[in-house]
Amino acid sequence: MKNELFEKIAKIKVADSDFEKKARERWQTIAKPLGSLGVFEDAICRLASCQKTLFPQINRRVLAVFCADNGIVAEGVSQSTQEVTTAIVKSLCDGKSSACALARVANCKIVPVDMGIASKIVDKSNLVDLHIQRGTKNFLKEDAMTLDECQVAILNGFSLAERLSGEADIFLTGEMGIGNTTTSAAVLSALLNLDAKDVAGKGAGLSDSALLRKIDVIRRALVLRKIDREDALGVLAKVGGFDIAGMVGFFLGSAFFSRPIIVDGLISACGCKRF
């Protein structure tokens, strides 16, 4: 399985700098002051390099929202219970969440993805089921997932990118899962060799005392799990979440199929930091 994953990674072609250069030269032929559109020009040139065309398009937009629960919530690191994950996923499926409202304005399709929600949601036909387990384990007590489970989750995310690439010019990612500010902080703390206090925050609104507990849980877990920060896959399996693993695969798949991707927030970003 590890071979399958790394074979896919090996086939990914980097963005084409030649297209970026040509796109920038094209900007200079347009009747306007040179560089007058600033970072907008940079973004268009970057899109050109990703899509390998001088005329990049972003009309077809797809937001994949990776949803999963995290066993670490048993340690009191979140103000909410896992039932909230289920409720918000249902609102995503019904088009009633704030993300859905924003997506409608932006003419963006939303794809909710079950990467490991604790409660099986059976009545939502638009929910893509890619779950491995019904949530991860409590990583203070044991590894969040096995290495095989982690790799399957990554490959599932890759396959989703392949499935959606035919209907998207550009991808976006999001996530939903109670406890995933703790998993992402643990992953970042391990990969960047930073103390938990430098990467952990209050999430959806923890009290000061609960934040201190969250920091302590991450610190102890990284010791107990015998983390090797040079082993990104191992870090993800030991203290990560199925949502992050799915996004890792989705990022890899978007690169494989030459689809630019907009990464939303800390949790999504930690999935592309070292993977």
Side-chain angles (χ1 to χ4, degrees):
M1 189 179 304
K2 189 172 183 179
N3 287 340
E4 181 183 357
L5 174 60
F6 282 93
E7 284 171 5
K8 290 181 181 295
I9 293 174
K11 293 178 182 178
I12 294 175
K13 296 180 180 179
V14 298
D16 194 320
S17 59
D18 190 48
F19 273 106
E20 184 170 2
K21 178 182 177 181
K22 290 179 179 179
R24 199 169 298 280
E25 290 171 351
R26 179 175 173 272
W27 271 113
Q28 295 177 358
T29 68
I30 298 174
K32 62 171 183 60
L34 295 179
S36 60
L37 297 181
V39 295
F40 179 73
E41 292 184 27
D42 295 336
I44 297 299
C45 293
R46 186 61 176 163
L47 285 172
S49 71
C50 293
Q51 295 181 350
K52 300 176 176 59
T53 175
L54 293 181
F55 302 94
Q57 301 291 323
I58 57 170
N59 295 321
R60 300 179 304 160
R61 306 154 191 166
V62 175
L63 165 62
V65 184
F66 293 81
C67 309
D69 279 303
N70 303 280
I72 195 64
V73 298
E75 300 301 324
V77 296
S78 174
Q79 66 170 356
S80 303
T81 62
Q82 292 182 334
E83 286 77 12
V84 174
T85 302
T86 301
I88 294 180
V89 172
K90 286 182 177 180
S91 73
L92 278 168
C93 293
D94 293 338
K96 296 179 179 179
S97 72
S98 56
C100 294
L102 292 169
R104 282 191 290 272
V105 174
N107 191 30
C108 178
K109 176 182 178 179
I110 285 191
V111 179
V113 186
D114 178 1
M115 289 301 301
I117 303 168
S119 299
K120 184 177 181 180
I121 301 175
V122 297
D123 58 343
K124 304 299 179 184
S125 60
N126 60 334
L127 179 63
V128 178
D129 187 0
L130 298 178
H131 86 278
I132 311 300
Q133 297 288 344
R134 289 293 163 202
T136 53
K137 303 294 193 300
N138 178 351
F139 65 67
L140 188 63
K141 308 296 184 183
E142 56 187 308
D143 290 354
M145 62 190 95
T146 67
L147 197 58
D148 281 350
E149 288 171 343
C150 183
Q151 292 176 74
V152 170
I154 293 173
L155 289 169
N156 284 352
F158 190 102
S159 297
L160 181 65
E162 179 178 14
R163 187 189 316 178
L164 296 176
S165 62
E167 55 186 281
D169 300 313
I170 187 168
F171 286 138
L172 304 88
T173 57
E175 38 62 35
M176 176 58 218
I178 299 303
N180 61 8
T181 61
T182 302
T183 58
S184 56
V187 168
L188 286 174
S189 179
L191 294 182
L192 301 181
N193 196 26
L194 294 172
D195 187 74
K197 68 178 176 58
D198 296 319
V199 290
K202 292 188 175 182
L206 286 178
S207 65
D208 290 341
S209 60
L211 174 58
L212 291 176
R213 180 166 60 249
K214 179 178 180 178
I215 292 169
D216 179 64
V217 165
I218 294 171
R219 284 172 174 164
R220 287 190 288 140
L222 294 182
V223 173
L224 292 169
R225 301 277 67 76
K226 297 180 171 60
I227 292 293
D228 175 6
R229 71 186 187 94
E230 297 301 322
D231 177 13
L233 197 61
V235 168
L236 182 55
K238 289 183 175 184
V239 297
F242 285 126
D243 50 351
I244 301 173
M247 284 188 286
V248 168
F250 196 72
F251 297 145
L252 293 171
S254 69
F256 187 93
F257 295 102
S258 300
R259 295 296 183 272
I261 188 163
I262 297 174
V263 179
D264 165 56
L266 173 71
I267 300 162
S268 296
C270 87
C272 60
K273 192 67 183 175
R274 278 275 302 279
F275 299 97

